[in-house]
Amino acid sequence: MLIEIPPDDREICPHQIALPTDDADNPYRLYILPLAYEKIGLLYAVLGLTACHIGIKKDDVYLRDTLAVEYQARAIRCLGETLQNGISGELEENERDGIFATIQILLLQDIFETGISTHGIHITGALSICNQLRLSDILTEGHERTVFFLGNLAWLDIIRSLADPQKLCFPPSLRETIAKLSDLKFEQVNGCPRELFLIIGTVMEHAKAHEAGHMDTLQYERFLNAARDELHAWRLSPGIYPSDHSRWPAVAEAFRHACILHTSRLLDVYQPAEATMIQISVTAILDAIAEIPPGCHLIELLVMPLFMAGTDALSSYARHYVLLRFDHIKARAGFGHPAPLSLLQSVWDARGSQIKDDNRNVPWMSFTRTESEHQHDYLII
């Protein structure tokens, strides 16, 4: 018999969306918790995440390693059954949204625990549900809850693909529909402005096509150069912010240069980190993040840009600053991000062990896979 753990919206919900206060309109409260009391698989996922979060925060081994894992296993079993039912028949709206929400919560628990996407395959399950129904039936005005869930999954899909473009699942048409119908909750949860979300999504789509041999190298390089020019020219439109907080432009700038940096790395993964174009983006990201004080709620959105800057940070003081800001995120969120820190240390150690005349870049992507026969785990930042 498992211990009863209430889905504690005071512990977790405030950290999943950038709101200046404990806002009653938090979509995790409005959308997920009511649905969790109707869909048992989602309730198990929420309880697992709650046990994991509180267990890490209070250093309670039983909550973190036993109860959280048991609830997670129950959620996965229920999810599998629901997905199978969806393949063989039609799903009503609450069942469909329950699937999307359960997948997102399972992925969040992965991030809380290790930062490794052990359940990333369920993103494919979410997409399979979308493919069974016409997009116009799923994503229309009035389906804010479904759009919210799919928007978060689409962003996690892009984050996962940074390590391996072949893992990208969501098609461009779905990302475009999501960006069109989403409201400012997308930025409040994910940090990245929707216009940049579309640009980097298209970049990863082309990277996937090139790796699969469906796009020749010359055409691919021309596209990446054009995308980088577009990112350099992009500016956040005045007045289009999730709130009136004066530091939102700094968040957008950090994500813009993170996208520029990754696009540059797709063009030449071994270009020395000392290259001017690389260091311009590293400096721009760190300068933008420096605009966000440690106690500001926006700092929790910046894990991805901070990690991207850290992979090409060269000086001791820049690396120290990256680690300091990760500490600020951990202090505010109540949990750390072990995989990004481990990855950064692996990259820095590998650079430190290079021979004197070898200044080729050490790609962080090469440290994201653990070989076990044909099994690979892919990082979610």
Side-chain angles (χ1 to χ4, degrees):
M1 188 69 174
L2 298 182
I3 295 175
E4 192 77 21
I5 293 204
D8 195 337
D9 64 345
R10 297 182 306 278
E11 288 283 345
I12 298 177
C13 286
H15 297 291
Q16 299 310 316
I17 185 167
L19 292 169
T21 59
D22 193 14
D23 200 302
D25 292 330
N26 188 314
Y28 284 86
R29 291 195 179 101
L30 293 176
Y31 297 154
I32 291 184
L33 293 181
L35 194 58
Y37 285 109
E38 180 181 336
K39 301 300 176 186
I40 188 65
L42 177 57
L43 179 59
Y44 286 145
V46 170
L47 290 172
L49 180 63
T50 303
C52 178
H53 184 100
I54 298 176
I56 292 173
K57 190 172 183 179
K58 296 184 177 181
D59 196 24
D60 187 317
V61 175
Y62 176 71
L63 285 178
R64 184 188 67 223
D65 296 340
T66 301
L67 202 58
V69 172
E70 176 62 27
Y71 277 128
Q72 184 184 56
R74 291 187 179 195
I76 292 170
R77 286 196 294 270
C78 289
L79 178 62
E81 293 171 1
T82 308
L83 285 172
Q84 188 60 42
N85 293 337
I87 292 172
S88 58
E90 292 188 2
L91 293 170
E92 51 93 15
E93 182 177 351
N94 282 0
E95 287 179 320
R96 187 183 65 229
D97 285 357
I99 290 173
F100 297 148
T102 300
I103 292 169
Q104 183 180 344
I105 298 299
L106 287 171
L107 292 173
L108 285 176
Q109 187 168 341
D110 284 344
I111 296 171
F112 274 42
E113 290 177 331
T114 63
I116 303 296
S117 172
T118 55
H119 301 107
I121 191 172
H122 294 312
I123 290 179
T124 309
L127 187 59
S128 70
I129 298 299
C130 297
N131 289 339
Q132 291 175 51
L133 304 168
R134 290 179 300 174
L135 288 179
S136 59
D137 293 336
I138 300 177
L139 300 181
T140 59
E141 299 292 345
H143 287 80
E144 291 86 358
R145 187 178 69 179
T146 306
V147 173
F148 174 75
F149 292 149
L150 282 176
N152 297 338
L153 288 174
W155 176 244
L156 288 173
D157 183 43
I158 287 176
I159 292 296
R160 184 177 63 152
S161 74
L162 296 179
D164 180 6
Q166 292 300 313
K167 288 293 180 180
L168 190 70
C169 288
F170 280 53
S173 59
L174 184 51
R175 286 193 296 271
E176 290 166 7
T177 305
I178 287 168
K180 178 181 178 181
L181 295 179
S182 291
D183 58 20
L184 292 172
K185 294 184 185 70
F186 181 92
E187 283 83 356
Q188 287 177 312
V189 172
N190 303 305
C192 185
R194 274 165 283 169
E195 292 175 349
L196 293 179
F197 158 72
L198 289 178
I199 296 172
I200 193 63
T202 304
V203 166
M204 299 315 300
E205 195 73 42
H206 283 74
K208 178 180 180 179
H210 180 255
E211 284 197 7
H214 301 147
M215 188 178 194
D216 67 62
T217 299
L218 183 58
Q219 184 184 10
Y220 177 55
E221 290 177 349
R222 286 174 178 168
F223 167 79
L224 290 180
N225 280 308
R228 193 165 57 178
D229 289 344
E230 184 179 7
L231 288 165
H232 275 294
W234 184 88
R235 295 294 182 273
L236 188 63
S237 301
I240 302 179
Y241 307 108
S243 72
D244 59 0
H245 201 296
S246 62
R247 295 189 175 95
W248 272 108
V251 174
E253 187 69 356
F255 275 96
R256 182 171 77 94
H257 274 280
C259 293
I260 291 172
L261 185 55
H262 193 67
T263 304
S264 297
R265 282 297 177 212
L266 289 173
L267 270 166
D268 186 355
V269 72
Y270 292 109
Q271 183 177 32
E274 291 85 355
T276 300
M277 69 170 62
I278 299 297
Q279 288 306 308
I280 285 175
S281 288
V282 170
T283 301
I285 293 169
L286 297 182
D287 283 348
I289 293 176
E291 297 291 323
I292 313 296
C296 178
H297 59 283
L298 298 180
I299 191 65
E300 294 184 56
L301 297 174
L302 294 171
V303 174
M304 179 270 209
L306 185 59
F307 172 81
M308 296 301 292
T311 62
D312 280 307
L314 295 175
S315 66
S316 296
Y317 69 82
R319 292 176 179 180
H320 176 75
Y321 182 72
V322 169
L323 296 178
L324 179 66
R325 296 322 309 259
F326 269 116
D327 283 342
H328 292 162
I329 294 171
K330 179 179 180 179
R332 179 168 176 85
F335 73 97
H337 299 77
L341 296 179
S342 175
L343 264 181
L344 288 178
Q345 195 60 58
S346 295
V347 172
W348 297 343
D349 289 346
R351 283 214 179 105
S353 65
Q354 286 178 301
I355 61 175
K356 184 177 180 180
D357 295 329
D358 184 5
N359 65 346
R360 291 179 303 168
N361 178 49
V362 178
W364 64 268
M365 295 80 78
S366 62
F367 296 99
T368 62
R369 306 175 188 179
T370 54
E371 300 270 356
S372 176
E373 296 181 353
H374 301 294
Q375 182 65 39
H376 302 273
D377 289 333
Y378 291 85
L379 175 77
I380 286 184
I381 301 171

